[in-house]
Amino acid sequence: MHFITESLLVGNINDAAEPPPQISAVLLVAAEFTVRPPSWLLFGRIPFSEYAEAEPVLLDQAVSWVEQHLSDNRVMVCCRAGMGRSVSVVMAYLCCVQGMTYAEVLKLVMTRRPGAMPLPKLEEAIAQVRLLREARTTKRNSPASHPAPGV
């Protein structure tokens, strides 16, 4: 288990199965594993394939899950080893929600999680997630999504 920020961590499959008490939410991003989380834990699973490029739609779902749960919880994102997929999701969250640049996030993660190996073409996938998020925001704020009274 490695702290990337005070409230956002990466962990491995063992951490997901038996999270420490200071963790209140776990997102498992390993397609090849399932765990039975403790009843007290907020738990999500979004399956990413190991060593594959991050699918922007899945990455977007993972970023949204972390965003939804991080304000009230200490969140740990877990994969098999806590080095690739989990790191990639955390990097995407920091870029897309916290507004950090990819270079800043990469430096932070490599310092806090020695041996981290972001997924191939992650920077491009993060750019796609940003576009998906912007499109949702634009759609929510468009006049068509807010009909005039009496319509």
Side-chain angles (χ1 to χ4, degrees), residues 5-139:
T5 69
E6 180 60 32
S7 57
L8 187 57
L9 300 87
V10 295
N12 61 32
I13 191 62
N14 296 325
D15 296 324
E18 296 181 24
Q22 70 263 36
I23 302 300
S24 51
V26 168
L27 176 61
L28 179 62
V29 295
E32 71 278 19
F33 288 105
T34 57
V35 298
R36 179 173 272 193
S39 60
W40 53 265
L41 185 73
L42 289 167
F43 184 81
R45 182 172 181 269
I46 300 173
F48 287 78
S49 297
E50 193 166 26
Y51 306 120
E53 293 177 14
E55 296 178 39
V57 171
L58 289 180
L59 195 57
D60 181 42
Q61 291 172 7
V63 166
S64 294
W65 193 95
V66 171
E67 182 179 30
Q68 179 182 353
H69 294 92
L70 193 59
S71 62
D72 299 326
N73 301 284
R74 185 171 275 163
V75 173
M76 183 168 50
V77 181
C78 298
C79 61
R80 183 183 57 79
M83 298 173 70
R85 293 166 285 182
S86 57
V87 163
S88 298
V89 167
V90 167
M91 290 175 67
Y93 169 82
L94 292 171
C95 287
C96 295
V97 177
Q98 298 296 321
M100 295 175 71
T101 67
Y102 186 83
E104 291 169 333
V105 168
L106 184 61
K107 183 178 179 181
L108 173 68
V109 165
M110 297 307 271
T111 301
R112 301 279 172 93
R113 177 52 174 120
M117 296 181 300
L119 294 174
K121 299 186 180 178
L122 180 62
E123 190 170 10
E124 293 89 340
I126 289 172
Q128 291 297 311
V129 171
R130 283 184 167 137
L131 292 173
L132 290 169
R133 292 173 62 86
E134 287 171 15
R136 273 197 307 274
T137 301
T138 301
K139 187 174 181 179

